[in-house]
Amino acid sequence: MHLTSTLLAGAVAVASAAADNNYLGFNSGATLADRSAKFKKDFEAEFKTAQALNGAPGKFNAVRLYTNIQAYSTDDPIEAFDAAIDTETYMLLGLWASGTDNIDKELSALKKALDKYGSKFTDLVIGVSIGSEDLYRNSQTGTKNKAGVGADPDVILSFIKDYKKAFDGGALAKVPIGHVDTWDAWTNSTNKAVIDAVDWIGVDEYPYYESGKGNDIKNAGKLFDKAYDATRAVANGKPVWVTETGWPVTGEKWDEAEPSAENAKYYWDEIGCRQLFGKTPTFWYNLRDSNPDNSMKFAITKDLSTTPQFNLTCPTTFDTDSSDSSSSSSSSASSGSSTASSGSSGSSGSSTSASVPTSTSSSGSGSSGSGSSGSGSGSSGSGSSAATSGSGSGSSGAGASGSASGSAQPTSVNKDSGAGKMAASSSVAGILALVGAFFLL
């Protein structure tokens, strides 16, 4: 009996799609707009509002964090963990990696969280990002835009190794590892080793800041698609999660781009509804503003009201033509177990077609610079020392020195947990592949 490769591939795709869970969420930094620390009640208020937004096209029950460290502590676990457990909010964890030569305090805080919360915590962890826009900050573009101190690929690779070693054999070992950066950082072939080392890649993309490219709101969908497609083209088939995107409601005009609630609604429809929601894990920027250095304000609510500043209901038709975009198909959230090796830099990177925008300058949602993409997340510090501020949308950094303590709990992954749902996809696909191989013998 023979099972054709076509049928086998179809079976694997169906099984993988059935196990996927394309989370919806927002980004949350460690500090408030006045640079004071967020505590459990602050995170809890965010998470409750996100899950109860009027007219939302799905349940926004996930959050992307930039650090594991409670603001202005040495290595205490961020109180977002406790709030997430109480509100059943899934978490994309972040380890701050810029401006430091180690992530010991991040690892220590995470180990303390494991000891304190156990499976109540790990069951809600859907992914771990080692760094955020570090490659962009250290690029020519990032330097030009004064984005702050970042990290080179070899540093990110070493931190990925450190993380894997710290949690080898424990529950977090089964959680997919990624790195978040701008699309033009991902398409730079010198960063290919980072792609090779992770299970998924996160992309931050803001057409609003793409000066000189026709960044009028009516062209935002096309600009986003080009950047998203360029990222997917170099991802080697790995899932691409959209970790930051949005359009400001207020602020200064940026070339042809104008902030307004009307334009923010149009962007939500043309990018979120048309391209992302339900197709790939998406973390919108943002539920509320917390970066005082950014004059553009992206919050979709005022004072965490469940009534947003614009209608979140998705339309049934769109202005942007998705027919030329390879990213119009679903990007699988599943990436299976964290088995990727640290990788090494390839001699050549994937090239992009002539239609793909070339990186000229990018600042993302920071307050300076202009250009093709990027978003320089992180500005106010957490941990014992403040992180270097960048022109960015995020609002958390983390102190870096110190030694790790504690140990990960070697518990198994709950099949109903965030990590379990994603690992299930890879497991089922693997079993079907083995069955198919048997029948082909």
PDB file of all heavy atoms in Angstrom, residues 252-284:
ATOM      1  N   GLU A 252       2.125  63.782  15.336  1.00  0.00           N
ATOM      2  CA  GLU A 252       2.550  64.599  14.206  1.00  0.00           C
ATOM      3  C   GLU A 252       2.388  63.873  12.875  1.00  0.00           C
ATOM      4  O   GLU A 252       2.403  62.642  12.818  1.00  0.00           O
ATOM      5  CB  GLU A 252       4.013  64.999  14.379  1.00  0.00           C
ATOM      6  CG  GLU A 252       4.975  63.824  14.393  1.00  0.00           C
ATOM      7  CD  GLU A 252       6.406  64.231  14.690  1.00  0.00           C
ATOM      8  OE1 GLU A 252       7.072  64.720  13.754  1.00  0.00           O
ATOM      9  OE2 GLU A 252       6.844  64.050  15.830  1.00  0.00           O
ATOM     10  N   LYS A 253       2.231  64.640  11.834  1.00  0.00           N
ATOM     11  CA  LYS A 253       2.183  64.068  10.489  1.00  0.00           C
ATOM     12  C   LYS A 253       3.568  63.575  10.136  1.00  0.00           C
ATOM     13  O   LYS A 253       4.577  64.208  10.446  1.00  0.00           O
ATOM     14  CB  LYS A 253       1.722  65.124   9.489  1.00  0.00           C
ATOM     15  CG  LYS A 253       1.568  64.608   8.078  1.00  0.00           C
ATOM     16  CD  LYS A 253       1.041  65.680   7.126  1.00  0.00           C
ATOM     17  CE  LYS A 253       0.914  65.153   5.704  1.00  0.00           C
ATOM     18  NZ  LYS A 253       0.416  66.178   4.771  1.00  0.00           N
ATOM     19  N   TRP A 254       3.642  62.415   9.460  1.00  0.00           N
ATOM     20  CA  TRP A 254       4.925  61.813   9.100  1.00  0.00           C
ATOM     21  C   TRP A 254       4.949  61.622   7.583  1.00  0.00           C
ATOM     22  O   TRP A 254       4.375  60.673   7.070  1.00  0.00           O
ATOM     23  CB  TRP A 254       5.104  60.479   9.815  1.00  0.00           C
ATOM     24  CG  TRP A 254       6.528  60.032   9.936  1.00  0.00           C
ATOM     25  CD1 TRP A 254       7.265  59.382   9.006  1.00  0.00           C
ATOM     26  CD2 TRP A 254       7.377  60.217  11.064  1.00  0.00           C
ATOM     27  NE1 TRP A 254       8.522  59.134   9.471  1.00  0.00           N
ATOM     28  CE2 TRP A 254       8.626  59.641  10.738  1.00  0.00           C
ATOM     29  CE3 TRP A 254       7.219  60.809  12.312  1.00  0.00           C
ATOM     30  CZ2 TRP A 254       9.701  59.643  11.623  1.00  0.00           C
ATOM     31  CZ3 TRP A 254       8.278  60.812  13.189  1.00  0.00           C
ATOM     32  CH2 TRP A 254       9.511  60.233  12.840  1.00  0.00           C
ATOM     33  N   ASP A 255       5.570  62.557   6.884  1.00  0.00           N
ATOM     34  CA  ASP A 255       5.528  62.570   5.435  1.00  0.00           C
ATOM     35  C   ASP A 255       4.060  62.617   5.000  1.00  0.00           C
ATOM     36  O   ASP A 255       3.361  63.559   5.333  1.00  0.00           O
ATOM     37  CB  ASP A 255       6.284  61.377   4.847  1.00  0.00           C
ATOM     38  CG  ASP A 255       6.580  61.537   3.362  1.00  0.00           C
ATOM     39  OD1 ASP A 255       6.455  62.665   2.844  1.00  0.00           O
ATOM     40  OD2 ASP A 255       6.937  60.546   2.707  1.00  0.00           O
ATOM     41  N   GLU A 256       3.561  61.590   4.311  1.00  0.00           N
ATOM     42  CA  GLU A 256       2.167  61.592   3.862  1.00  0.00           C
ATOM     43  C   GLU A 256       1.207  60.981   4.879  1.00  0.00           C
ATOM     44  O   GLU A 256      -0.003  61.007   4.686  1.00  0.00           O
ATOM     45  CB  GLU A 256       2.054  60.841   2.535  1.00  0.00           C
ATOM     46  CG  GLU A 256       2.830  61.465   1.383  1.00  0.00           C
ATOM     47  CD  GLU A 256       2.697  60.666   0.099  1.00  0.00           C
ATOM     48  OE1 GLU A 256       1.589  60.128  -0.138  1.00  0.00           O
ATOM     49  OE2 GLU A 256       3.678  60.571  -0.654  1.00  0.00           O
ATOM     50  N   ALA A 257       1.757  60.405   5.942  1.00  0.00           N
ATOM     51  CA  ALA A 257       0.929  59.722   6.933  1.00  0.00           C
ATOM     52  C   ALA A 257       0.392  60.694   7.974  1.00  0.00           C
ATOM     53  O   ALA A 257       1.133  61.517   8.504  1.00  0.00           O
ATOM     54  CB  ALA A 257       1.745  58.628   7.617  1.00  0.00           C
ATOM     55  N   GLU A 258      -0.902  60.579   8.249  1.00  0.00           N
ATOM     56  CA  GLU A 258      -1.537  61.455   9.229  1.00  0.00           C
ATOM     57  C   GLU A 258      -2.224  60.619  10.311  1.00  0.00           C
ATOM     58  O   GLU A 258      -2.960  59.683  10.008  1.00  0.00           O
ATOM     59  CB  GLU A 258      -2.562  62.362   8.549  1.00  0.00           C
ATOM     60  CG  GLU A 258      -1.956  63.310   7.533  1.00  0.00           C
ATOM     61  CD  GLU A 258      -2.985  64.302   6.986  1.00  0.00           C
ATOM     62  OE1 GLU A 258      -3.947  64.611   7.720  1.00  0.00           O
ATOM     63  OE2 GLU A 258      -2.814  64.744   5.844  1.00  0.00           O
ATOM     64  N   PRO A 259      -1.990  60.984  11.566  1.00  0.00           N
ATOM     65  CA  PRO A 259      -2.650  60.259  12.652  1.00  0.00           C
ATOM     66  C   PRO A 259      -4.093  60.720  12.842  1.00  0.00           C
ATOM     67  O   PRO A 259      -4.386  61.912  12.733  1.00  0.00           O
ATOM     68  CB  PRO A 259      -1.801  60.620  13.873  1.00  0.00           C
ATOM     69  CG  PRO A 259      -1.266  61.977  13.551  1.00  0.00           C
ATOM     70  CD  PRO A 259      -1.062  62.006  12.056  1.00  0.00           C
ATOM     71  N   SER A 260      -4.984  59.794  13.097  1.00  0.00           N
ATOM     72  CA  SER A 260      -6.379  60.117  13.409  1.00  0.00           C
ATOM     73  C   SER A 260      -7.079  58.818  13.774  1.00  0.00           C
ATOM     74  O   SER A 260      -6.629  57.720  13.399  1.00  0.00           O
ATOM     75  CB  SER A 260      -7.096  60.770  12.224  1.00  0.00           C
ATOM     76  OG  SER A 260      -7.309  59.836  11.176  1.00  0.00           O
ATOM     77  N   ALA A 261      -8.177  58.937  14.478  1.00  0.00           N
ATOM     78  CA  ALA A 261      -8.961  57.751  14.818  1.00  0.00           C
ATOM     79  C   ALA A 261      -9.514  57.103  13.550  1.00  0.00           C
ATOM     80  O   ALA A 261      -9.584  55.878  13.440  1.00  0.00           O
ATOM     81  CB  ALA A 261     -10.093  58.122  15.771  1.00  0.00           C
ATOM     82  N   GLU A 262      -9.894  57.928  12.576  1.00  0.00           N
ATOM     83  CA  GLU A 262     -10.422  57.410  11.313  1.00  0.00           C
ATOM     84  C   GLU A 262      -9.362  56.588  10.579  1.00  0.00           C
ATOM     85  O   GLU A 262      -9.646  55.497  10.070  1.00  0.00           O
ATOM     86  CB  GLU A 262     -10.876  58.562  10.426  1.00  0.00           C
ATOM     87  CG  GLU A 262     -11.444  58.125   9.085  1.00  0.00           C
ATOM     88  CD  GLU A 262     -11.835  59.288   8.192  1.00  0.00           C
ATOM     89  OE1 GLU A 262     -11.629  60.453   8.600  1.00  0.00           O
ATOM     90  OE2 GLU A 262     -12.349  59.038   7.087  1.00  0.00           O
ATOM     91  N   ASN A 263      -8.130  57.096  10.537  1.00  0.00           N
ATOM     92  CA  ASN A 263      -7.048  56.366   9.864  1.00  0.00           C
ATOM     93  C   ASN A 263      -6.639  55.121  10.646  1.00  0.00           C
ATOM     94  O   ASN A 263      -6.281  54.097  10.059  1.00  0.00           O
ATOM     95  CB  ASN A 263      -5.852  57.278   9.650  1.00  0.00           C
ATOM     96  CG  ASN A 263      -6.094  58.306   8.562  1.00  0.00           C
ATOM     97  OD1 ASN A 263      -7.068  58.208   7.806  1.00  0.00           O
ATOM     98  ND2 ASN A 263      -5.226  59.301   8.464  1.00  0.00           N
ATOM     99  N   ALA A 264      -6.686  55.215  11.978  1.00  0.00           N
ATOM    100  CA  ALA A 264      -6.365  54.047  12.799  1.00  0.00           C
ATOM    101  C   ALA A 264      -7.376  52.933  12.553  1.00  0.00           C
ATOM    102  O   ALA A 264      -7.027  51.750  12.521  1.00  0.00           O
ATOM    103  CB  ALA A 264      -6.335  54.426  14.274  1.00  0.00           C
ATOM    104  N   LYS A 265      -8.635  53.309  12.376  1.00  0.00           N
ATOM    105  CA  LYS A 265      -9.681  52.335  12.062  1.00  0.00           C
ATOM    106  C   LYS A 265      -9.433  51.710  10.690  1.00  0.00           C
ATOM    107  O   LYS A 265      -9.552  50.490  10.520  1.00  0.00           O
ATOM    108  CB  LYS A 265     -11.051  53.022  12.093  1.00  0.00           C
ATOM    109  CG  LYS A 265     -12.177  52.313  11.349  1.00  0.00           C
ATOM    110  CD  LYS A 265     -12.487  50.932  11.904  1.00  0.00           C
ATOM    111  CE  LYS A 265     -13.693  50.311  11.188  1.00  0.00           C
ATOM    112  NZ  LYS A 265     -13.904  48.887  11.588  1.00  0.00           N
ATOM    113  N   TYR A 266      -9.077  52.534   9.718  1.00  0.00           N
ATOM    114  CA  TYR A 266      -8.817  52.032   8.370  1.00  0.00           C
ATOM    115  C   TYR A 266      -7.645  51.046   8.397  1.00  0.00           C
ATOM    116  O   TYR A 266      -7.685  49.990   7.749  1.00  0.00           O
ATOM    117  CB  TYR A 266      -8.503  53.197   7.430  1.00  0.00           C
ATOM    118  CG  TYR A 266      -8.367  52.805   5.977  1.00  0.00           C
ATOM    119  CD1 TYR A 266      -9.483  52.707   5.151  1.00  0.00           C
ATOM    120  CD2 TYR A 266      -7.111  52.536   5.427  1.00  0.00           C
ATOM    121  CE1 TYR A 266      -9.358  52.353   3.809  1.00  0.00           C
ATOM    122  CE2 TYR A 266      -6.980  52.177   4.091  1.00  0.00           C
ATOM    123  CZ  TYR A 266      -8.101  52.084   3.285  1.00  0.00           C
ATOM    124  OH  TYR A 266      -7.965  51.726   1.956  1.00  0.00           O
ATOM    125  N   TYR A 267      -6.607  51.365   9.165  1.00  0.00           N
ATOM    126  CA  TYR A 267      -5.443  50.479   9.268  1.00  0.00           C
ATOM    127  C   TYR A 267      -5.826  49.168   9.952  1.00  0.00           C
ATOM    128  O   TYR A 267      -5.407  48.091   9.531  1.00  0.00           O
ATOM    129  CB  TYR A 267      -4.324  51.177  10.043  1.00  0.00           C
ATOM    130  CG  TYR A 267      -3.010  50.436  10.001  1.00  0.00           C
ATOM    131  CD1 TYR A 267      -2.137  50.594   8.921  1.00  0.00           C
ATOM    132  CD2 TYR A 267      -2.644  49.571  11.030  1.00  0.00           C
ATOM    133  CE1 TYR A 267      -0.931  49.896   8.875  1.00  0.00           C
ATOM    134  CE2 TYR A 267      -1.449  48.873  10.992  1.00  0.00           C
ATOM    135  CZ  TYR A 267      -0.592  49.046   9.909  1.00  0.00           C
ATOM    136  OH  TYR A 267       0.598  48.348   9.862  1.00  0.00           O
ATOM    137  N   TRP A 268      -6.615  49.258  10.995  1.00  0.00           N
ATOM    138  CA  TRP A 268      -7.109  48.057  11.688  1.00  0.00           C
ATOM    139  C   TRP A 268      -7.815  47.136  10.702  1.00  0.00           C
ATOM    140  O   TRP A 268      -7.592  45.920  10.697  1.00  0.00           O
ATOM    141  CB  TRP A 268      -8.047  48.501  12.806  1.00  0.00           C
ATOM    142  CG  TRP A 268      -8.751  47.428  13.569  1.00  0.00           C
ATOM    143  CD1 TRP A 268      -9.935  46.828  13.238  1.00  0.00           C
ATOM    144  CD2 TRP A 268      -8.337  46.839  14.812  1.00  0.00           C
ATOM    145  NE1 TRP A 268     -10.289  45.909  14.197  1.00  0.00           N
ATOM    146  CE2 TRP A 268      -9.329  45.893  15.176  1.00  0.00           C
ATOM    147  CE3 TRP A 268      -7.250  47.026  15.664  1.00  0.00           C
ATOM    148  CZ2 TRP A 268      -9.247  45.137  16.347  1.00  0.00           C
ATOM    149  CZ3 TRP A 268      -7.159  46.269  16.827  1.00  0.00           C
ATOM    150  CH2 TRP A 268      -8.148  45.337  17.159  1.00  0.00           C
ATOM    151  N   ASP A 269      -8.655  47.721   9.855  1.00  0.00           N
ATOM    152  CA  ASP A 269      -9.421  46.925   8.885  1.00  0.00           C
ATOM    153  C   ASP A 269      -8.522  46.327   7.809  1.00  0.00           C
ATOM    154  O   ASP A 269      -8.583  45.121   7.533  1.00  0.00           O
ATOM    155  CB  ASP A 269     -10.485  47.794   8.214  1.00  0.00           C
ATOM    156  CG  ASP A 269     -11.596  48.207   9.166  1.00  0.00           C
ATOM    157  OD1 ASP A 269     -11.691  47.647  10.273  1.00  0.00           O
ATOM    158  OD2 ASP A 269     -12.382  49.115   8.805  1.00  0.00           O
ATOM    159  N   GLU A 270      -7.685  47.174   7.194  1.00  0.00           N
ATOM    160  CA  GLU A 270      -6.918  46.743   6.022  1.00  0.00           C
ATOM    161  C   GLU A 270      -5.735  45.845   6.369  1.00  0.00           C
ATOM    162  O   GLU A 270      -5.321  45.012   5.551  1.00  0.00           O
ATOM    163  CB  GLU A 270      -6.415  47.974   5.260  1.00  0.00           C
ATOM    164  CG  GLU A 270      -7.508  48.789   4.604  1.00  0.00           C
ATOM    165  CD  GLU A 270      -8.254  48.017   3.507  1.00  0.00           C
ATOM    166  OE1 GLU A 270      -7.583  47.414   2.653  1.00  0.00           O
ATOM    167  OE2 GLU A 270      -9.495  48.030   3.535  1.00  0.00           O
ATOM    168  N   ILE A 271      -5.179  45.977   7.562  1.00  0.00           N
ATOM    169  CA  ILE A 271      -4.050  45.138   7.955  1.00  0.00           C
ATOM    170  C   ILE A 271      -4.502  44.054   8.924  1.00  0.00           C
ATOM    171  O   ILE A 271      -4.286  42.865   8.684  1.00  0.00           O
ATOM    172  CB  ILE A 271      -2.905  45.979   8.556  1.00  0.00           C
ATOM    173  CG1 ILE A 271      -2.107  46.669   7.453  1.00  0.00           C
ATOM    174  CG2 ILE A 271      -1.933  45.092   9.333  1.00  0.00           C
ATOM    175  CD1 ILE A 271      -2.783  47.822   6.801  1.00  0.00           C
ATOM    176  N   GLY A 272      -5.141  44.454  10.016  1.00  0.00           N
ATOM    177  CA  GLY A 272      -5.561  43.462  10.997  1.00  0.00           C
ATOM    178  C   GLY A 272      -6.626  42.523  10.468  1.00  0.00           C
ATOM    179  O   GLY A 272      -6.434  41.302  10.415  1.00  0.00           O
ATOM    180  N   CYS A 273      -7.756  43.069  10.072  1.00  0.00           N
ATOM    181  CA  CYS A 273      -8.884  42.238   9.639  1.00  0.00           C
ATOM    182  C   CYS A 273      -8.593  41.478   8.346  1.00  0.00           C
ATOM    183  O   CYS A 273      -8.915  40.292   8.220  1.00  0.00           O
ATOM    184  CB  CYS A 273     -10.122  43.104   9.458  1.00  0.00           C
ATOM    185  SG  CYS A 273     -10.726  43.898  10.967  1.00  0.00           S
ATOM    186  N   ARG A 274      -8.006  42.157   7.384  1.00  0.00           N
ATOM    187  CA  ARG A 274      -7.761  41.528   6.075  1.00  0.00           C
ATOM    188  C   ARG A 274      -6.618  40.525   6.112  1.00  0.00           C
ATOM    189  O   ARG A 274      -6.692  39.456   5.502  1.00  0.00           O
ATOM    190  CB  ARG A 274      -7.449  42.612   5.035  1.00  0.00           C
ATOM    191  CG  ARG A 274      -7.044  42.075   3.654  1.00  0.00           C
ATOM    192  CD  ARG A 274      -6.594  43.201   2.744  1.00  0.00           C
ATOM    193  NE  ARG A 274      -5.429  43.894   3.269  1.00  0.00           N
ATOM    194  CZ  ARG A 274      -4.163  43.531   3.010  1.00  0.00           C
ATOM    195  NH1 ARG A 274      -3.906  42.494   2.233  1.00  0.00           N
ATOM    196  NH2 ARG A 274      -3.162  44.217   3.525  1.00  0.00           N
ATOM    197  N   GLN A 275      -5.556  40.849   6.832  1.00  0.00           N
ATOM    198  CA  GLN A 275      -4.310  40.125   6.684  1.00  0.00           C
ATOM    199  C   GLN A 275      -3.887  39.271   7.878  1.00  0.00           C
ATOM    200  O   GLN A 275      -3.246  38.244   7.694  1.00  0.00           O
ATOM    201  CB  GLN A 275      -3.191  41.134   6.370  1.00  0.00           C
ATOM    202  CG  GLN A 275      -1.834  40.555   6.030  1.00  0.00           C
ATOM    203  CD  GLN A 275      -1.816  39.835   4.713  1.00  0.00           C
ATOM    204  OE1 GLN A 275      -2.338  38.719   4.610  1.00  0.00           O
ATOM    205  NE2 GLN A 275      -1.231  40.436   3.701  1.00  0.00           N
ATOM    206  N   LEU A 276      -4.249  39.670   9.093  1.00  0.00           N
ATOM    207  CA  LEU A 276      -3.620  39.066  10.258  1.00  0.00           C
ATOM    208  C   LEU A 276      -4.537  38.281  11.191  1.00  0.00           C
ATOM    209  O   LEU A 276      -4.210  37.153  11.567  1.00  0.00           O
ATOM    210  CB  LEU A 276      -2.906  40.161  11.080  1.00  0.00           C
ATOM    211  CG  LEU A 276      -1.855  40.983  10.334  1.00  0.00           C
ATOM    212  CD1 LEU A 276      -1.292  42.063  11.260  1.00  0.00           C
ATOM    213  CD2 LEU A 276      -0.749  40.098   9.787  1.00  0.00           C
ATOM    214  N   PHE A 277      -5.631  38.865  11.619  1.00  0.00           N
ATOM    215  CA  PHE A 277      -6.450  38.266  12.664  1.00  0.00           C
ATOM    216  C   PHE A 277      -6.933  36.878  12.260  1.00  0.00           C
ATOM    217  O   PHE A 277      -7.550  36.689  11.214  1.00  0.00           O
ATOM    218  CB  PHE A 277      -7.656  39.154  12.984  1.00  0.00           C
ATOM    219  CG  PHE A 277      -7.299  40.542  13.454  1.00  0.00           C
ATOM    220  CD1 PHE A 277      -8.198  41.589  13.290  1.00  0.00           C
ATOM    221  CD2 PHE A 277      -6.080  40.799  14.065  1.00  0.00           C
ATOM    222  CE1 PHE A 277      -7.887  42.878  13.736  1.00  0.00           C
ATOM    223  CE2 PHE A 277      -5.750  42.082  14.503  1.00  0.00           C
ATOM    224  CZ  PHE A 277      -6.649  43.115  14.338  1.00  0.00           C
ATOM    225  N   GLY A 278      -6.643  35.912  13.102  1.00  0.00           N
ATOM    226  CA  GLY A 278      -7.041  34.531  12.837  1.00  0.00           C
ATOM    227  C   GLY A 278      -6.119  33.796  11.889  1.00  0.00           C
ATOM    228  O   GLY A 278      -6.333  32.622  11.604  1.00  0.00           O
ATOM    229  N   LYS A 279      -5.068  34.482  11.389  1.00  0.00           N
ATOM    230  CA  LYS A 279      -4.151  33.864  10.433  1.00  0.00           C
ATOM    231  C   LYS A 279      -2.753  33.664  10.995  1.00  0.00           C
ATOM    232  O   LYS A 279      -2.039  32.749  10.579  1.00  0.00           O
ATOM    233  CB  LYS A 279      -4.061  34.713   9.165  1.00  0.00           C
ATOM    234  CG  LYS A 279      -5.377  34.825   8.404  1.00  0.00           C
ATOM    235  CD  LYS A 279      -5.216  35.683   7.162  1.00  0.00           C
ATOM    236  CE  LYS A 279      -6.532  35.797   6.405  1.00  0.00           C
ATOM    237  NZ  LYS A 279      -6.390  36.628   5.170  1.00  0.00           N
ATOM    238  N   THR A 280      -2.346  34.522  11.906  1.00  0.00           N
ATOM    239  CA  THR A 280      -1.039  34.394  12.537  1.00  0.00           C
ATOM    240  C   THR A 280      -1.123  35.045  13.910  1.00  0.00           C
ATOM    241  O   THR A 280      -1.945  35.949  14.120  1.00  0.00           O
ATOM    242  CB  THR A 280       0.065  35.058  11.691  1.00  0.00           C
ATOM    243  OG1 THR A 280       1.349  34.638  12.155  1.00  0.00           O
ATOM    244  CG2 THR A 280      -0.028  36.569  11.749  1.00  0.00           C
ATOM    245  N   PRO A 281      -0.332  34.607  14.887  1.00  0.00           N
ATOM    246  CA  PRO A 281      -0.343  35.293  16.179  1.00  0.00           C
ATOM    247  C   PRO A 281      -0.044  36.782  15.986  1.00  0.00           C
ATOM    248  O   PRO A 281       0.933  37.144  15.336  1.00  0.00           O
ATOM    249  CB  PRO A 281       0.780  34.588  16.948  1.00  0.00           C
ATOM    250  CG  PRO A 281       0.805  33.204  16.373  1.00  0.00           C
ATOM    251  CD  PRO A 281       0.541  33.416  14.900  1.00  0.00           C
ATOM    252  N   THR A 282      -0.898  37.634  16.524  1.00  0.00           N
ATOM    253  CA  THR A 282      -0.812  39.072  16.283  1.00  0.00           C
ATOM    254  C   THR A 282      -0.908  39.834  17.598  1.00  0.00           C
ATOM    255  O   THR A 282      -1.843  39.623  18.381  1.00  0.00           O
ATOM    256  CB  THR A 282      -1.932  39.536  15.343  1.00  0.00           C
ATOM    257  OG1 THR A 282      -1.847  38.826  14.101  1.00  0.00           O
ATOM    258  CG2 THR A 282      -1.846  41.026  15.077  1.00  0.00           C
ATOM    259  N   PHE A 283       0.057  40.735  17.796  1.00  0.00           N
ATOM    260  CA  PHE A 283       0.073  41.573  18.995  1.00  0.00           C
ATOM    261  C   PHE A 283       0.034  43.029  18.541  1.00  0.00           C
ATOM    262  O   PHE A 283       1.035  43.588  18.095  1.00  0.00           O
ATOM    263  CB  PHE A 283       1.315  41.267  19.835  1.00  0.00           C
ATOM    264  CG  PHE A 283       1.339  39.846  20.319  1.00  0.00           C
ATOM    265  CD1 PHE A 283       1.874  38.831  19.524  1.00  0.00           C
ATOM    266  CD2 PHE A 283       0.782  39.507  21.543  1.00  0.00           C
ATOM    267  CE1 PHE A 283       1.864  37.509  19.952  1.00  0.00           C
ATOM    268  CE2 PHE A 283       0.767  38.184  21.978  1.00  0.00           C
ATOM    269  CZ  PHE A 283       1.308  37.188  21.180  1.00  0.00           C
ATOM    270  N   TRP A 284      -1.149  43.618  18.628  1.00  0.00           N
ATOM    271  CA  TRP A 284      -1.379  44.970  18.116  1.00  0.00           C
ATOM    272  C   TRP A 284      -0.700  45.998  19.006  1.00  0.00           C
ATOM    273  O   TRP A 284      -0.557  45.819  20.211  1.00  0.00           O
ATOM    274  CB  TRP A 284      -2.873  45.239  18.048  1.00  0.00           C
ATOM    275  CG  TRP A 284      -3.242  46.326  17.083  1.00  0.00           C
ATOM    276  CD1 TRP A 284      -3.517  47.633  17.363  1.00  0.00           C
ATOM    277  CD2 TRP A 284      -3.366  46.184  15.659  1.00  0.00           C
ATOM    278  NE1 TRP A 284      -3.800  48.323  16.208  1.00  0.00           N
ATOM    279  CE2 TRP A 284      -3.721  47.449  15.144  1.00  0.00           C
ATOM    280  CE3 TRP A 284      -3.217  45.122  14.780  1.00  0.00           C
ATOM    281  CZ2 TRP A 284      -3.927  47.677  13.789  1.00  0.00           C
ATOM    282  CZ3 TRP A 284      -3.424  45.343  13.441  1.00  0.00           C
ATOM    283  CH2 TRP A 284      -3.775  46.603  12.945  1.00  0.00           C
TER     284      TRP A 284
END
